[in-house]
Amino acid sequence: MAVTETDCAAEAFADLTFGPRAEEMVWRRAFAGTPESAHEARAFVGCLLACSPGRDDVVQAAGELIANAITHTRSGSPGGIYVVEVRRRRAAVALV
C-alpha cells in the first residue's frame, strides 16, 4: 500500500501527544511483526521527518532496528508486533 503525503500528514497528527516538555512532539505506532511491514514503518518515520536534514539517516536506522526486532525477538513470531516511536524536538530526533 502506497503512503501518500496527505495520508502521512493526517496519520502523523492523529496520534500527536506532547512529551514531558512542551517543545517535544511524540508519535507512536504499532506494526505487524512481519518483514512486509518494514516498508510501511520506514515510510511512517520518513513522513514525520520530511523536512529534517537527517531524515535519510533516521529512516535507515529505523530499518535496521525493525529488521533486528523481527529477526531476534518475539516481535517476529506469529501474531507479533513492534512499536515505532519518534520523538521530535527543535534540534533533535529520537527513534525508540
Side-chain angles (χ1 to χ4, degrees), residues 27 44-55 58-59 86 88 93:
W27 295 271
F44 172 71
V45 172
C47 182
L48 295 172
L49 304 176
C51 298
S52 295
R55 175 183 180 254
V58 177
V59 170
V86 176
R88 187 170 182 176
V93 172

Side-chain angles (χ1 to χ4, degrees), residues 72-87:
H72 302 294
T73 72
R74 291 187 294 188
S75 293
S77 298
I81 64 166
Y82 60 92
V83 176
V84 174
E85 180 175 299
V86 176
R87 293 177 172 264

Side-chain angles (χ1 to χ4, degrees), residues 7-23:
D7 293 338
C8 182
E11 184 175 346
F13 293 102
D15 293 329
L16 179 64
T17 58
F18 289 95
R21 292 180 232 126
E23 70 271 4

